[in-house]
Every structure is written in C-alpha cells, then in structure tokens.
Amino acid sequence: MNESQSELTALLLSLKNQLNQHNYSYYVLDDPSIPDAEYDRLFCQLQEIEKTYPDLITSDSPTQRVGAAPLGKFKQIKHKLPMLSLSNAFNDEDITNFEVRLQDRLQSIDHLEFVAEPKLDGVAVSLFYKNGQLLYGATRGDGEVGEDITHNVRTIKSIPLILIGKDYPSILEVRGEIFMPKSSFESLNTKAIELGDKPFVNPRNAAAGSLRQLDSKVTASRSLRMCAYSIGFTEGSALPDTHYEMLCKLSEWGLATNKEMAIVNGANGCSQYYQSLSMRRDDLSYEIDGIVFKVNNFKLQNELGFVSRSPRWAIAYKFPAQEEITTLLSVDFQVGRTGALTPVARLEPVFVGGVTVSNATLHNMDEINRLGVCVGDQVIIRRAGDVIPKIVKVVSEKRTLNPEQIILPKECPICGSPVETLEGEAVARCTGNLVCSAQLKESIKHFASRKAMDIDGLGHKLIDQLVEKELVQNVADLFRLKVNDLALLERMASKSANNLIKAIESAKETSLTKFIFSLGIREVGETTAALLSKKFESIESLSNTDVQTLESLQDIGPIMANNIFCFFSATENIEKIKELVSLGITFQNVEQGTSAELDGLTFVLTGTLPSMSRDEMKAHLRDQGAKISGSVSKNTSYLIAGESAGSKLKKAVNLGVKILNEEEALALMHISSE
Ligand code: IVH
C-alpha cells in the first residue's frame, strides 16, 4: 500500500467511525452530537470517496444502512418493507438534474407530475392497521428493524386507533412523521429550565425523546402530533393510481395529512413551490427542514425503483440549515441600562438560518453553567425564524485539552464598580448605577428609542459620543443641548446638528404611554405602559398609587407591581420627572381623546408593511386604544396584512375577518400616510 492509499483508507475509516458515532447519538441517545448540516457534509464526503473507489465500500459503511441500531429496552419489530430514506437536493439545479435523471430512466421528455409535501422535522413512524384496528406502531430503527412504541403512539390523539369508513385494505401500514409543534416545544423547554432539567435542542429531539419513553404517561403529556405521508405494506384491496389520491384516502380513513401538500409540474413547479413555502416557513406551527417531491404516479414510481437507501422517485429539497457548528472565540460581558451583565458569545462567523452569525447571547451565568460551555469550544448555534441566535449545545467530543472557563467578572468591565448577584436572581448587576457610563448610555438609548421619546436621528453612536464627551450626564441633559455643543462631535455638520436639536425639541410633545415607557421601569414594556396610561390618565395619579391597586390590574403581577411602586417611591425618580416637565415635556393622553373608534377592537398584523415596521404600526394602534393579538380568530376585528403574508391571511379570509393594508389601517386611525 503506498502512502496516498493508506491516507485514503485512514480517512475512510475516520469518516465511518465519526458517522457511526453520530448515528448512535442521534438515533439511540436522542442527543445529536453535531448539527444535521455537518452530518450531511461528512456523509457526502464518504459517498464521494466510495463513488470514486467502489472497491473500498464495506458492508458496515454508514452509506450502506439507513439508521442506527434500535435501543435495547423496547421490543423490536421487523418492518415488512424497509423504511427508507430520501436523497437530498440543495438548489434548483439539483432539482432540474433530478427531473432529467427520471426522464432519462423513463425515456420520456414529458415533464413529470410531483406531489410536494413539507418535510416535517420529527420522527419517522410506521403504524400497522389490521381490519381497521391499530395493532402496533414502530420507529424506523435501522430501516429494517424498529422499536415497538405502540404504548406511546396510542396516546397521540391525531393517530386513529380505529380507521373510519370501510374501504381501507385489511392490512394497511401507514408511514408518517410524529412531530412536536413549535409552541409545545417552547413551553416544554421553558418548564424543563424552570425545573433545572436539560432542555431539548430542537422540536425534533423533543419529539424523539418523548416517544422513547417507557412510561406512556410522559408521552401523553407532551402534545405530539402525527402526519401521514405514505403507505408501506398493504393487503386486501386495490390502491389508487396516484400518491396524491392515496394521501386523500388516508385522510378519509381518519389519518392527519399535511394541508400544504400540492401537485406541481416539472422541476419548475417544484422550485416555485419551494420558494413560496420557504417564505412562509416561519409562520407554520411546526418545524420543517425542506420540501419532499414525489413522483405522483405509482406506476412510474415502480418503474423507477430504488437505489441503495432511497427511492429514485423522490427527493428532499432542503432549506438552509438552522443549526450549524462553530467555535466560541471569546465571551464579553455587556452592561445594560439596569446594570445587568449579559455574557455575549463572540463566534467564528457561521452561515446559519439564512444569515451570517458572529455573536450570540448567553443570557446569564446559569445558562453558561447549564451548557457547560468554555472558550475555545465547538458549539451548535441555532437560528430558527427571526429568533435571535442561540448556543444550544457544546460538542463535547471536540473539546480542546485546555478549555478556558468563563468567569463572571467581580468588577464591572466598564466602570469598575463591584458586581453583585442578588439571592435568588440569575442576573448579575453592576452596582455603579449612574457612575457607570454603560448604564447611562443604555438608559439614554432606551429613552430616545422609537417606542419611547422617539428622538429622530439620535442613534447609538451619537449617544455614545455625547456621554463620552460629557455633554450628557442624564436624560434631562438632552433637552439642554445647543447646536454649538454638537459641533464637538465627529461627523456632525451644522445641518445635522440643527436637525437633531429640532428633533429633540419636537420629541418634547409626547404621549403618556411613551413617557411611561421611556422611564425604563424594570419589566415595564410598551404594553404595560399603555395599560398604565389608560388606567391612571396622568403621571401624578400613577406615581401616587399603591401596590394593591397596581396588583389588582389585569396583566400586572406582584413583581411588576412592586417594580412600579418602588420606582415612584424613589425621590430621585420623582425629581427626574419634575425636571423633564420643567424642561418642556408634555404628554397628552392620546388614549383619552381619540380612543373611541379603536377601543375594544382587536388587531392582528402579518407580513411586511411598505413604510413602517410592524412594531410602529402596533404602537399607533395601541395609542388609540386597540388591542393587538398574535393569532387570527373569530374575535379578530381586523387583520393588517403586508407583503408575503401567509397563513394568518388565509385564516382571516376563511373566517371572514376584515383585512386592511397599511394605508387603510392608517386611514382608520386618521393618520396621514405621507
Ligand atoms: S417520504 C421512501 N415524506 O424525512 C420515502 N419523508 O429521509 C420515505 N419526512 O425521516 C420518506 N416529511 O420521516 C417523506 N412528507 C414526507 C416527509 C418525510 C418528513 C422524513 C422521514 C425521514 C426523512 C427522509
């Protein structure tokens, strides 16, 4: 064996070992060690080498099998027909090549008809029905032998124990995906963290973990759902001619199928479907990681057959990965306006969920300890939808010999004041208050922000300079600034300086809601600010109220009530409000004057609005007494829909809810859209 041959053999062995190890973590332990995208890369690398050197393929290669060995604890079930996997496409060209391959095999130039189905990210299952009765449910296992999970499957309400109707085959094996909806995943993880348990990395692991319970009561408590996507072994009656009709039959017999499935034509039709569903991916109530395209006609499917582990007649067009692996380079502690120290992970930039991510919040020391993360670690980053990127796991196999512990600083990294963590709180805080320039900068940024005093043109960089040059030492100083002061700042021409002073001047006239929000009372967001201004109607009556009255208000809990009460009990805060008023700030209670029209109405917003963010639109609506809800129901008064509106728009149309565009919504509020 020459040197390059032995290098190749060593590489093959290493790839096989790595993939086998990851398979075991994924399928047997329900605890994936690396992201799927990384797994796919290793798998493709192995496949490529084996394609070039077929003599090197061994029967134990991960390319020669479908999954991992089933877990010993459950009874094993041999599938009557193997449960296979899908080959992947990552771009439109792969889809065009897929269709061309099929046309070549079928010796036809006609475009093929495909069924498009969202690729649910859960756990593949087989349900075996005899004379309409559910006999057992099994996982995929290694594709040949799975685990008997009948006791758990029976707890899932979308799985019929008895089929509906009469025309089902006497033996019917249904295949599909068991998954956990996004909202159930979020609440399960919130609960796990509260109880000090390890949260699941993603909804798929949560579904897998919930199914692999020996105690079916645990499974029953986990809000799992099932969606059927094909059949396996059948006996006893003729089947329809097409996959689409088969899915419709499954639905008639009482099985859940996906509402988004559609028939599309040719590679072009596939690409269009992919584009349109990828825009709505975040609006779906469940996770999908791509679209599956299947040749619709069963006769053609049979003609096309299978190749090693997957059918030739189907392909999974994958979305960009939402989880990726990268290196934690360092951790900085940022100081917020209340002094909270937030550890921020600085990462080797990585493309995940459609954007390049180089920072991620680590929240607090509890989170760091829970993850067991050290500087230099390889970590899994997850960015799903618009959610801020998160470190979900440390890849412990890839840990360096000398991991660097992340230590909470004893002193504030900005002002050097002692850092304290109060008993029972996860958050560490700088005790410097207004001595700390970071706290000062952050509180001014909050005060000037859109939802607060909305000082146009007063951006973060400007605020940093104003504080550093000691032109502003508290929020009231903003109203004492003169054009000449601003000349000291970098990149501040006289026109910009004039504009900024004008903007500060016009921000003086504000609403009570915005003013309350701008005070930065702990945990008081815009919704609570709106509620308080509606209830109290003036800053005097709010500041004179007692804890009991605050607590009696709907949506205000004891902690928030206490925060509000303590804020107004502190003399320096009352002095600050007086000072602001003496500098000319006025807050008319907009809610009082113009609320009548929108009072009691509920709005839902969806899609991208042409000239403002959804938050800005919400602020206008709240100012006029409207309520905002996250989901459309029969109680919704109006849906405000922008571009790429998805399922909410559909639902509103179905329920007959009135739909407005941005212009119409502004007209309703008598706001000019100029
Ligand atoms: S068809 C023979 N359709 O994706 C083809 N699979 O590797 C079998 N999946 O874990 C799969 N949604 O459970 C098919 N609409 C869908 C699917 C789907 C999710 C999963 C499947 C398996 C993986 C395929």
Side-chain angles (χ1 to χ4, degrees):
M1 206 188 275
N2 65 32
E3 204 177 315
S4 67
Q5 268 175 328
S6 69
E7 265 176 29
L8 190 65
T9 320
L11 175 62
L12 265 186
L13 192 66
S14 148
L15 284 171
K16 285 195 252 183
N17 285 343
Q18 286 182 64
L19 286 163
N20 280 331
Q21 182 58 43
H22 297 316
N23 266 337
Y24 178 77
S25 309
Y26 183 109
Y27 287 107
V28 180
L29 305 179
D30 295 327
D31 188 16
S33 41
I34 52 167
D36 286 2
E38 179 81 356
Y39 181 91
D40 288 347
R41 278 191 288 271
L42 294 172
F43 196 90
C44 284
Q45 205 184 343
L46 179 61
Q47 253 179 341
E48 280 303 307
I49 300 174
E50 290 182 341
K51 212 159 92 190
T52 321
Y53 304 98
D55 290 352
L56 296 179
I57 301 178
T58 54
S59 61
D60 68 344
S61 168
T63 58
Q64 306 302 301
R65 44 187 283 147
V66 188
L71 192 73
K73 290 182 283 190
F74 291 90
K75 212 174 84 194
Q76 302 201 342
I77 284 183
K78 180 153 175 35
H79 301 300
K80 278 193 187 296
L81 290 174
M83 286 185 77
L84 298 169
S85 179
L86 292 168
S87 50
N88 291 331
F90 298 99
N91 49 47
D92 285 353
E93 199 187 334
D94 291 346
I95 292 292
T96 309
N97 293 340
F98 166 63
E99 193 187 20
V100 170
R101 271 198 311 272
L102 301 186
Q103 287 169 329
D104 282 352
R105 277 214 157 243
L106 297 169
Q107 297 191 331
S108 152
I109 50 159
D110 294 340
H111 279 306
L112 285 153
E113 191 175 83
F114 296 101
V115 178
E117 297 163 25
K119 185 173 181 297
L120 293 164
D121 208 4
V123 181
V125 284
S126 152
L127 304 174
F128 198 89
Y129 288 90
K130 191 169 177 191
N131 297 325
Q133 283 215 343
L134 176 68
L135 277 200
Y136 62 81
T139 63
R140 180 167 71 164
D142 66 0
E144 300 288 336
V145 179
E147 290 147 15
D148 182 352
I149 50 162
T150 314
H151 63 304
N152 291 337
V153 150
R154 290 175 64 88
T155 68
I156 300 171
K157 297 197 182 66
S158 48
I159 296 180
L161 299 180
I162 295 175
L163 297 179
I164 303 171
K166 289 213 160 51
D167 62 338
Y168 44 75
S170 56
I171 293 189
L172 172 68
E173 188 196 348
V174 179
R175 292 193 173 162
E177 199 85 351
I178 292 181
F179 62 98
M180 185 176 282
K182 289 175 190 167
S183 55
S184 315
F185 166 73
E186 293 301 336
S187 46
L188 180 66
N189 264 2
T190 309
K191 229 187 281 165
I193 293 172
E194 268 168 27
L195 295 172
D197 293 340
K198 211 171 125 195
F200 289 102
V201 167
N202 53 38
R204 182 192 58 221
N205 296 119
S210 306
L211 269 184
R212 299 161 71 85
Q213 294 287 334
L214 289 170
D215 179 358
S216 60
K217 281 201 204 80
V218 179
T219 315
S221 71
R222 294 281 174 88
S223 317
L224 294 172
R225 301 258 293 275
M226 145 89 182
C227 175
Y229 55 62
S230 72
I231 51 163
F233 182 79
T234 68
E235 203 175 81
S237 65
L239 300 175
D241 292 335
T242 64
H243 176 67
Y244 192 85
E245 288 168 296
M246 187 69 240
L247 291 177
C248 295
K249 277 277 161 216
L250 290 177
S251 157
E252 272 174 45
W253 297 332
L255 289 139
T257 52
N258 199 301
K259 289 190 188 62
E260 305 290 341
M261 68 183 180
I263 295 178
V264 296
N265 263 306
N268 257 345
C270 294
S271 301
Q272 276 167 18
Y273 183 95
Y274 175 91
Q275 284 307 329
S276 80
L277 202 66
S278 63
M279 307 245 271
R280 295 199 290 115
R281 181 184 186 184
D282 299 340
D283 289 338
L284 298 176
S285 61
Y286 45 83
E287 290 264 349
I288 61 173
D289 61 346
I291 313 287
V292 185
F293 296 106
K294 298 171 184 166
V295 169
N296 194 18
N297 189 307
F298 279 146
K299 228 164 75 204
L300 296 183
Q301 283 192 3
N302 281 336
E303 237 177 279
L304 289 162
F306 298 84
V307 58
S308 72
R309 63 205 282 272
S310 23
R312 282 203 186 84
W313 42 263
I315 200 159
Y317 191 173
K318 301 284 279 280
F319 289 137
Q322 289 186 323
E323 280 164 26
E324 271 296 355
I325 195 162
T326 190
T327 310
L328 175 61
L329 301 174
S330 61
V331 172
D332 288 340
F333 283 84
Q334 279 181 353
V335 185
R337 81 185 145 84
T338 60
L341 258 65
T342 305
V344 178
R346 306 293 179 203
L347 304 161
E348 184 76 51
V350 64
F351 190 73
V352 56
V355 296
T356 301
V357 170
S358 37
N359 302 310
T361 172
L362 278 161
H363 301 290
N364 52 45
M365 289 310 288
D366 282 359
E367 173 86 346
I368 290 175
N369 295 335
R370 188 178 63 67
L371 288 164
V373 63
C374 293
V375 171
D377 275 347
Q378 297 281 293
V379 290
I380 299 179
I381 294 290
R382 179 172 166 81
R383 182 185 181 272
D386 288 338
V387 181
I388 47 170
K390 257 184 97 147
I391 294 181
V392 286
K393 195 179 157 77
V394 175
V395 184
S396 37
E397 301 96 272
K398 296 202 175 180
R399 171 156 282 180
T400 54
L401 282 178
N402 295 312
E404 188 191 319
Q405 297 286 333
I406 301 163
I407 297 166
L408 176 72
K410 287 197 171 57
E411 279 142 20
C412 170
I414 307 297
C415 70
S417 305
V419 165
E420 68 174 16
T421 309
L422 294 181
E423 184 83 22
E425 273 195 22
V427 181
R429 287 180 204 277
C430 155
T431 51
N433 294 325
L434 294 182
V435 173
C436 179
S437 66
Q439 288 191 51
L440 177 58
K441 283 176 185 172
E442 293 310 311
S443 59
I444 296 175
K445 285 172 195 171
H446 172 79
F447 184 81
S449 66
R450 271 182 183 275
K451 291 176 192 169
M453 297 298 286
D454 194 9
I455 306 179
D456 207 19
L458 187 53
H460 289 194
K461 289 211 173 105
L462 258 181
I463 294 174
D464 288 348
Q465 284 194 66
L466 288 170
V467 173
E468 279 153 24
K469 299 231 156 58
E470 296 183 6
L471 287 167
V472 170
Q473 277 157 358
N474 56 56
V475 290
D477 284 347
L478 289 173
F479 299 98
R480 299 191 182 97
L481 283 172
K482 302 272 172 306
V483 174
N484 287 349
D485 299 329
L486 300 179
L488 294 171
L489 306 180
E490 286 160 27
R491 277 182 280 142
M492 178 59 77
S494 78
K495 190 165 174 224
S496 327
N498 274 308
N499 284 345
L500 183 58
I501 297 297
K502 268 192 215 146
I504 294 175
E505 194 53 34
S506 59
K508 283 182 178 173
E509 207 174 291
T510 187
S511 71
L512 185 55
T513 299
K514 280 174 169 271
F515 185 72
I516 295 171
F517 178 65
S518 76
L519 294 173
I521 306 168
R522 223 175 260 183
E523 287 186 48
V524 174
E526 43 169 345
T527 314
T528 312
L531 180 91
L532 294 173
S533 77
K534 204 167 170 203
K535 288 284 165 207
F536 293 93
E537 296 182 2
S538 77
I539 200 80
E540 291 75 27
S541 81
L542 173 61
S543 54
N544 289 330
T545 192
D546 52 44
V547 182
Q548 287 79 10
T549 312
L550 287 164
E551 259 189 64
S552 70
L553 299 178
Q554 211 189 348
D555 298 330
I556 295 201
I559 296 181
M560 179 115 73
N562 192 46
N563 286 344
I564 300 167
F565 180 74
C566 288
F567 182 90
F568 288 106
S569 307
T571 342
E572 70 262 28
N573 290 332
I574 299 294
E575 289 306 317
K576 181 165 101 179
I577 293 169
K578 282 190 184 150
E579 191 181 3
L580 288 169
V581 171
S582 75
L583 284 161
I585 291 186
T586 56
F587 22 85
Q588 42 170 270
N589 197 349
V590 180
E591 293 79 2
Q592 260 189 321
T594 53
S595 66
E597 272 177 85
L598 301 193
D599 213 8
L601 297 182
T602 304
F603 286 73
V604 176
L605 288 86
T606 185
T608 313
L609 302 178
S611 78
M612 64 177 69
S613 68
R614 287 208 291 261
D615 275 347
E616 283 171 73
M617 179 61 85
K618 284 183 195 169
H620 284 309
L621 291 164
R622 284 201 188 97
D623 275 349
Q624 305 213 8
K627 273 203 228 150
I628 316 287
S629 163
S631 55
V632 176
S633 74
K634 60 179 183 347
N635 299 325
T636 308
S637 320
Y638 291 98
L639 175 80
I640 302 180
E643 208 176 311
S644 339
S647 53
K648 287 182 190 162
L649 180 57
K650 251 195 194 164
K651 195 164 176 192
V653 172
N654 287 341
L655 291 173
V657 169
K658 281 174 245 155
I659 295 157
L660 303 176
N661 61 23
E662 179 189 285
E663 210 183 321
E664 290 163 336
L666 292 176
L668 189 70
M669 292 183 275
H670 310 291
I671 297 174
S672 131
S673 54
E674 294 297 288

